[in-house]
């Protein structure tokens, strides 16, 4: 049976970190709408340019743009054997749209104290060449500012500056938290403690997706 899983949680909860591990274990693609939108922005498509303005400000990208980019990705052959969605849905309208395309069997909600998130996100850095992620507090590179793998200069996501981070948290509380009840009522929600070292969280995520 195709596995169709959603990881839901506030910005900085560790969804991306855990989703790539869990998807590898399950043998299904990890689909991050944030990554798809950032790729479109890098490619300079009309959709990417419009999305970038919303992302930089920490707002949600309009539903029609996100649905169009995700719809294309879900139509690709590898997604027919299932997928792990990271960052989608983010509001009830998106959840209802997803129901029509591919009903979800499990939603894993990341529970984490809000106080940890701003620090985690403002300390995040990525390699623009190979995509490796670092955290200046918890997982720093060996040489400050440089990727361990290829020596490239690390960069900060434009929406990881403190003002955008605070806006993203506000948007999460207003738009995405109502999804917890939406999925709880359907019996598909599993809440997982996402605080602690990545390996401990991974073991809890492993149990939650089995
Ligand atoms: P998106 O890219 O989805 O960002 P996000 O949801 O805000 O989540 P993040 O990627 O910032 O955090 P994460 O939970 O994945 O944590 P991570 O593992 O990276 O979306 C960005 C924007 O795109 C949105 O604001 C919106 O504009 C737009 N967008 C995307 N989807 C959309 C949609 N469906 N509708 C409308 N708009 C949409 O970890 C964070 C940091 O913490 C890293 O440095 C990591 O190393 C560290 N870390 C992770 N786990 C641990 C741990 N256990 N202990 C210590 N540090 C840890």
């Amino acid at each position: 049976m195709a596995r169709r899983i959603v990881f839901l949680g506030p910005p900085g909860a560790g969804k991306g970190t855990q989703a790539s591990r869990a998807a590898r274990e399950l043998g299904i693609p990890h689909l991050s709408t944030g990554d798809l939108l950032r790729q479109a922005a890098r490619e300079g498509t009309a959709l990417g340019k419009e999305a970038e303005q919303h992302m930089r400000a920490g707002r949600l990208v309009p539903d029609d743009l996100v649905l169009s980019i995700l719809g294309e990705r879900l139509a690709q052959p590898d997604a027919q054997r299932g997928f792990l969605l990271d960052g989608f849905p983010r509001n009830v309208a998106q959840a209802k749209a997803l129901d029509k395309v591919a009903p979800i069997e499990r939603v894993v909600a990341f529970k984490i104290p809000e106080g940890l998130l701003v620090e985690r996100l403002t300390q995040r850095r990525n390699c623009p060449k190979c995509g490796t992620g670092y955290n200046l507090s918890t997982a720093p590179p060996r040489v400050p500012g440089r990727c361990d793998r290829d020596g490239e200069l690390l960069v900060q996501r434009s929406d990881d500056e403190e003002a955008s981070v605070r806006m993203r948290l506000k948007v999460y509380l207003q738009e995405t938290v109502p999804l917890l009840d939406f999925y709880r009522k359907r019996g598909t929600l599993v809440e997982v403690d996402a605080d602690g070292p990545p390996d401990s969280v991974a073991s809890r995520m492993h149990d939650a997706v089995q």
Side-chain angles (χ1 to χ4, degrees):
M1 191 190 72
R3 303 292 317 268
R4 294 186 184 132
I5 300 169
V6 164
F7 275 8
L8 189 71
K15 302 182 299 296
T17 304
Q18 297 298 331
S20 64
R21 292 171 75 148
R24 215 170 28 243
E25 270 183 27
L26 294 165
I28 53 177
H30 164 203
L31 307 185
S32 153
T33 41
D35 286 347
L36 292 172
L37 292 164
R38 280 185 288 278
Q39 188 185 337
R42 277 195 301 276
E43 288 167 357
T45 63
L47 184 154
K49 283 182 187 159
E50 186 176 346
E52 195 174 18
Q53 295 173 22
H54 296 282
M55 294 169 83
R56 195 181 288 275
R59 297 187 299 265
L60 290 188
V61 172
D63 291 346
D64 56 336
L65 298 188
V66 182
L67 286 166
S68 122
I69 206 164
L70 181 65
E72 274 180 30
R73 183 63 188 87
L74 287 177
Q76 288 178 18
D78 64 340
Q80 308 318 306
R81 62 172 191 270
F83 48 78
L84 197 166
L85 278 174
D86 158 15
F88 186 96
R90 265 178 145 95
N91 58 32
V92 173
Q94 291 183 4
K96 288 183 176 167
L98 181 61
D99 273 347
K100 291 186 191 148
V101 188
I104 295 302
E105 46 144 318
R106 190 154 318 170
V107 176
V108 178
F110 285 51
K111 285 174 53 185
I112 186 153
E114 196 182 322
L116 289 178
L117 302 174
V118 175
E119 162 79 4
R120 271 194 192 180
L121 289 173
T122 52
Q123 299 299 307
R124 172 165 57 186
R125 299 291 184 275
N126 288 91
C127 174
K129 193 169 170 193
C130 70
T132 303
Y134 297 87
N135 190 284
L136 301 185
S137 311
T138 56
R142 284 194 294 272
V143 176
R146 296 271 175 189
C147 179
D148 291 350
R149 294 194 177 175
D150 50 33
E152 199 71 17
L153 264 183
L154 301 179
V155 295
Q156 183 179 33
R157 257 169 60 173
S158 61
D159 61 347
D160 276 349
E161 284 169 21
E162 190 166 340
S164 298
V165 167
R166 294 205 181 274
M167 174 58 100
R168 285 157 63 198
L169 286 169
K170 195 171 150 198
V171 168
Y172 174 77
L173 292 174
Q174 283 173 350
E175 306 253 351
T176 310
V177 163
L179 281 179
L180 297 175
D181 256 354
F182 179 90
Y183 285 118
R184 192 176 286 122
K185 282 184 188 144
R186 296 178 166 205
T188 45
L189 189 78
V190 183
E191 294 185 84
V192 176
D193 177 7
D195 190 3
D199 287 347
S200 313
V201 178
S203 136
R204 295 195 281 273
M205 294 298 156
H206 172 88
D207 294 345
V209 297
Q210 290 313 306

